Amino acid sequence: MNGRLQNAFTCTGAYALLIMTGIKRVENRAAVPFPAVGRCAVSVSKKFCEREYWNLAAWVKSNLGAEGVAALPPWEIACKWPGHIIGTIDYAVKSAAECSQEELLERQFWNEGYGCWWHLANPQLLSKPIPCRGNVGMWRLPEELSERLIAISPEKPLNVT
């Protein structure tokens, strides 16, 4: 299998919105991916309703202003994400000693109690989501799915700081 895109992780629709817009730049997980630095796919596991979407938009507006809300895809797009791979993102597993002060503050904010921290950069939303099995957590991409994602995603340098 191509070593560049082997993994995927699944998250809720609200977290997917935050990750793929670059608002959430860390992901707290129970496991370390292999390799510990790379590019992975992002999929959405659970359905989320329009009310949750607008609650999230209100939170983004109150914390990040209108510019943050403008970065969110419209509900008409996001409502189709559950059960699909929606994009790719660079990741790197970092210890607390490797983090900047800003990254440490972000880790405190998004802490879900797991021991592994993925630092995320360069989100790329797919123009058309790809259906997937709906695995939970971190999972290995089947070779044909990895090749399909590589074919539709332009090569991007890893830039996880």
Side-chain angles (χ1 to χ4, degrees):
M1 175 181 279
N2 182 312
R4 191 174 70 81
L5 191 60
Q6 297 178 2
N7 298 311
F9 73 90
T10 303
C11 55
T12 66
Y15 271 4
L17 282 165
L18 294 172
I19 289 168
M20 296 312 295
T21 57
I23 294 169
K24 186 175 189 286
R25 297 174 305 211
V26 295
E27 180 67 7
N28 191 209
R29 291 282 164 167
V32 176
F34 179 80
V37 174
R39 189 149 185 89
C40 66
V42 177
S43 64
V44 178
S45 63
K46 299 176 183 176
K47 291 187 178 184
F48 64 113
C49 67
E50 189 170 6
R51 180 176 172 196
E52 290 173 303
Y53 173 88
W54 290 112
N55 285 342
L56 176 67
W59 179 88
V60 169
K61 184 176 183 179
S62 68
N63 287 279
L64 303 171
E67 186 176 304
V69 174
L72 296 176
W75 169 248
E76 294 74 24
I77 292 173
C79 71
K80 298 175 184 167
W81 287 359
H84 290 79
I85 292 174
I86 61 164
T88 59
I89 196 161
D90 294 339
Y91 69 89
V93 175
K94 289 185 178 183
S95 69
E98 298 171 296
C99 295
S100 68
Q101 191 65 31
E102 180 182 316
E103 289 172 319
L104 288 173
L105 289 172
E106 191 164 339
R107 283 170 61 145
Q108 287 177 350
F109 186 77
W110 297 110
N111 190 350
E112 296 179 66
Y114 299 113
C116 178
W117 287 92
W118 299 25
H119 289 254
L120 308 171
N122 301 320
Q124 182 181 0
L125 196 59
L126 299 176
S127 58
K128 186 175 181 182
I130 299 171
C132 64
R133 295 189 314 243
N135 293 3
V136 176
M138 183 177 67
W139 50 286
R140 192 77 147 178
L141 286 169
E143 188 170 351
E144 64 278 357
L145 190 51
S146 175
E147 290 172 3
R148 184 173 172 195
L149 282 167
I150 291 167
I152 61 176
S153 299
E155 182 81 28
K156 289 183 126 184
L158 291 177
N159 183 23
V160 181
T161 55

